[in-house]
Amino acid sequence: MPTCDDESGERNLILILGDQLSRNIASLQQADRSRDIVLMAEVAEEAGYVQHHKKKIAFLFSAMRHFALELQANGWQVRYVQLDDPENSGSLTGEIDRLRAEHPTARVVVTEPGEYRLKSALLDWAEEAGAALDMRQDSRFLCSHERFRTWAEGRKQLRMEYFYREMRRETGLLMAGGLPVGGKWNFDHENRKSAEGGLFLPRPLETRPDAITEEVLELVEARFGNHFGSLRPFWFAVTRDGALQALENFVKLALPGFGDYQDAMLEGERFLYHSVLSQYINAGLLEPLEVCRRVERAFYEGHAPLNAAEGFIRQIIGWREFVRGIYWLNMPGYTAQNFFEASRPLPGFYWTGETDMACLAAAIAQTRDEAYAHHIQRLMVTGNFAMLAGVDPREVHEWYLAVYADAYEWVEAPNVIGMSQFADGGLLGSKPYAASGNYINKMSDHCAGCIYEVKRKTGAGACPFNPLYWDFLARNADKLRENPRLRQVYRTWDRMSTGQQVKYRETARQILGRLFEE
């Protein structure tokens, strides 16, 4: 990407996006505070291209307003356009045009957007307007697009584990003498304990809304009241200082138990030992590497076990960087992939939470109330069910993009299209993450209070995950039977009597019929 000659004496218009709220963002580097103008804008186009959760919109608008004030206090000239400004054009390119009308010779500087959609829109705008656009690489990430492309080139399979090891070597995180601390790269096998009631379960740090946030909450309720989700209570931090306090709260209270129970689910316990920091990292309030360094320090100080520190760091420098690489390597077109040719609509209860399946009801209610669910709820409950039921992955993708405060397409799409729905046919993951009710029963206590019987495989009262699991495998056998990780599963299916297979398929047909009124 071209680099702006900041010594030319020409004024720059620096566009800061809602997920770029960092004073270290590339577009602010080498800028002249006395000459250049920072543009930030709340626009309807970005707030409404999917039905974003009300909390997500409020979080970003409030964080943007606080960041703009922080920049002004540090000597920057900031043009901030609020959503309800009568002159608001409704789009980012419209706001750039308005500012360029006052400064027609200025060049526009922006850090590369995290979504292909917006990057393309800005590039198209610059070409049509004949404007000078300096789009800079996002230095918050460890791995550039070019580097990931080079890493991926020639590999038969792209697997996060090997990429993660390179990131460990490069950063030095949990490394000693060129080798991983503890003698192993990955302690994931220690991180699969189920949780029981009676554990001390800390909550994420809650921040009381200030006057700016209260004003934003009123705006969001007025303008986006028909969007998904509960707006209040609102407790997200909206400044870097607040996000740093949330990080410290996690490290001190939750990190020690994070590793053991990161895959667990408990009825009525929405956070367990999870950090709930991803919305702050993805919006720029926290730097990924600083978060990892803080967790590493907690391990070296004896405050957290190695499996907790390694598991957390792997999610940031391993998985987070890896899925971003997958996204940009395969866009455009990645979000349209549909390996299983699934075509059913997303069930309405994904928006209401009104379902008799206890695990789904809990995950969706939590999503509605908190704009948050942890990775197992997303992957093995809502995602698993959608895949088993044959829901169009594009609809699943758009739901996930809308309902979570940490969701941006670069991170959400690979997690949904690739990991959750296997719609990319194995580009990201080695097998579909399909599971019956047994997995949910093992990792949660949801089944104990559910009207369906997890031990019942077919017929009335059977846990829907059970017949849907085998129906999914049966109807996709031509695509999956030769997958090395599924051969044993298909041997089990083949050993079943024809009568048992028919029972599974018929029960699944009845469930899908009721669900989709086929």
Side-chain angles (χ1 to χ4, degrees), residues 14 60 63 78 92 106-107 123 152 161 163 223 241 249 292-293 296 308 332 353 408 414 437 441 443 498 506 509 518:
I14 304 171
L60 288 173
V78 179
L92 289 173
R107 66 164 59 86
L123 291 173
E161 180 65 26
F163 173 81
R223 292 289 296 271
D241 285 346
N249 182 79
C292 290
R293 297 281 185 213
E296 179 190 45
Y408 302 89
N441 191 40
M443 298 307 301
T498 301
E506 177 58 22
R509 187 190 67 78
E518 295 178 344

Side-chain angles (χ1 to χ4, degrees), residues 384-406:
N384 181 27
F385 186 85
M387 182 176 66
L388 298 184
V391 175
D392 184 337
R394 179 76 188 192
E395 292 197 26
V396 183
H397 151 61
E398 290 180 352
W399 183 79
Y400 278 89
L401 184 59
V403 301
Y404 292 114
D406 60 4

Side-chain angles (χ1 to χ4, degrees), residues 321-340:
E321 295 278 340
F322 180 72
V323 297
R324 178 178 182 258
I326 291 289
Y327 175 77
W328 286 107
L329 189 65
N330 293 281
M331 286 298 284
Y334 188 73
T335 57
Q337 295 199 45
N338 189 350
F339 179 67
F340 295 125

Side-chain angles (χ1 to χ4, degrees), residues 256-323:
F258 169 77
D260 289 351
Y261 301 109
Q262 65 174 281
D263 287 1
M265 297 173 282
L266 275 179
E267 191 75 24
E269 296 293 345
R270 295 181 165 183
F271 306 106
L272 284 88
Y273 297 97
H274 289 275
S275 71
V276 199
L277 297 174
S278 53
Q279 71 270 21
Y280 305 138
I281 297 172
N282 292 351
L285 298 180
L286 295 175
E287 300 286 340
L289 200 53
E290 77 174 334
V291 173
C292 290
R293 297 281 185 213
R294 180 65 185 92
V295 168
E296 179 190 45
R297 179 158 63 89
F299 163 70
Y300 283 129
E301 291 174 348
H303 181 68
L306 181 55
N307 69 310
E310 186 279 320
F312 184 88
I313 288 170
R314 177 165 20 98
Q315 289 188 359
I316 304 296
I317 68 168
W319 190 249
R320 184 175 186 268
E321 295 278 340
F322 180 72
V323 297

Side-chain angles (χ1 to χ4, degrees), residues 334-355:
Y334 188 73
T335 57
Q337 295 199 45
N338 189 350
F339 179 67
F340 295 125
E341 302 176 78
S343 59
R344 291 189 174 98
L346 188 74
F349 67 72
Y350 274 71
W351 297 106
T352 67
E354 296 174 1
T355 173

Side-chain angles (χ1 to χ4, degrees), residues 200-254:
F200 166 71
L201 297 173
R203 282 187 58 85
L205 187 67
E206 298 183 0
T207 301
R208 183 187 298 274
D210 62 7
I212 294 173
T213 300
E214 285 291 351
E215 184 176 287
V216 168
L217 292 173
E218 293 178 7
L219 172 69
V220 170
E221 189 58 61
R223 292 289 296 271
F224 304 101
N226 63 332
H227 277 220
F228 176 78
S230 303
L231 184 58
R232 297 177 187 269
F234 184 90
W235 52 266
F236 290 156
V238 291
T239 65
R240 173 166 170 77
D241 285 346
L244 285 169
Q245 292 173 27
L247 169 61
E248 287 303 309
N249 182 79
F250 164 67
V251 169
K252 291 178 181 178
L253 299 181

Side-chain angles (χ1 to χ4, degrees), residues 23-314:
R23 288 167 65 182
N24 296 322
I25 201 73
S27 48
L28 290 177
Q29 305 312 303
Q30 292 85 48
D32 186 332
R33 301 185 192 198
S34 66
R35 179 192 67 205
D36 299 334
I37 302 174
V38 173
L39 171 63
M40 300 179 68
E42 305 163 4
V43 295
E45 186 174 73
E46 294 304 305
Y49 69 91
V50 293
Q51 196 192 58
H52 293 293
H53 195 297
K54 290 196 284 285
K55 270 193 172 75
K56 179 181 183 180
I57 299 172
F59 163 64
L60 288 173
F61 282 4
S62 182
M64 288 168 64
R65 293 186 184 191
H66 284 86
F67 186 66
L69 291 175
E70 179 185 337
L71 290 178
Q72 289 175 329
N74 281 275
W76 292 93
Q77 299 181 63
V78 179
R79 174 72 62 87
Y80 193 93
V81 183
Q82 295 189 2
L83 186 74
D84 54 0
D85 185 329
E87 302 299 318
N88 191 321
S89 66
S91 71
L92 289 173
T93 54
E95 290 311 302
I96 298 172
D97 282 334
R98 284 211 300 145
L99 189 54
R100 283 186 74 242
E102 301 173 28
H103 308 281
T105 63
R107 66 164 59 86
V108 177
V109 180
V110 65
T111 298
E112 180 185 62
E115 299 192 353
Y116 181 88
R117 167 194 63 83
L118 184 52
K119 178 180 179 179
S120 297
L122 290 174
L123 291 173
D124 290 346
W125 165 83
E127 184 175 355
E128 293 173 7
L133 176 65
D134 177 10
M135 187 175 285
R136 301 179 178 179
Q137 292 187 27
D138 194 335
S139 58
R140 294 175 296 173
F141 293 92
L142 301 175
C143 187
S144 68
H145 302 328
E146 182 58 36
R147 182 177 174 199
F148 189 86
R149 192 177 301 112
T150 300
W151 175 83
E153 188 175 359
R155 294 177 183 265
K156 292 182 179 179
Q157 293 181 321
L158 305 182
R159 295 295 175 256
M160 187 276 291
E161 180 65 26
Y162 302 108
F163 173 81
Y164 165 57
R165 294 177 187 183
E166 287 199 15
M167 295 297 101
R168 285 275 293 278
R169 292 187 186 101
E170 177 174 314
T171 61
L173 286 162
L174 297 177
M175 297 291 290
L179 297 174
V181 171
K184 294 189 298 184
W185 293 102
N186 187 318
F187 290 83
D188 195 42
H189 69 281
E190 297 180 17
N191 296 347
R192 298 170 182 169
K193 295 180 182 178
S194 58
E196 298 178 358
L199 291 170
F200 166 71
L201 297 173
R203 282 187 58 85
L205 187 67
E206 298 183 0
T207 301
R208 183 187 298 274
D210 62 7
I212 294 173
T213 300
E214 285 291 351
E215 184 176 287
V216 168
L217 292 173
E218 293 178 7
L219 172 69
V220 170
E221 189 58 61
R223 292 289 296 271
F224 304 101
N226 63 332
H227 277 220
F228 176 78
S230 303
L231 184 58
R232 297 177 187 269
F234 184 90
W235 52 266
F236 290 156
V238 291
T239 65
R240 173 166 170 77
D241 285 346
L244 285 169
Q245 292 173 27
L247 169 61
E248 287 303 309
N249 182 79
F250 164 67
V251 169
K252 291 178 181 178
L253 299 181
L255 177 61
F258 169 77
D260 289 351
Y261 301 109
Q262 65 174 281
D263 287 1
M265 297 173 282
L266 275 179
E267 191 75 24
E269 296 293 345
R270 295 181 165 183
F271 306 106
L272 284 88
Y273 297 97
H274 289 275
S275 71
V276 199
L277 297 174
S278 53
Q279 71 270 21
Y280 305 138
I281 297 172
N282 292 351
L285 298 180
L286 295 175
E287 300 286 340
L289 200 53
E290 77 174 334
V291 173
C292 290
R293 297 281 185 213
R294 180 65 185 92
V295 168
E296 179 190 45
R297 179 158 63 89
F299 163 70
Y300 283 129
E301 291 174 348
H303 181 68
L306 181 55
N307 69 310
E310 186 279 320
F312 184 88
I313 288 170
R314 177 165 20 98

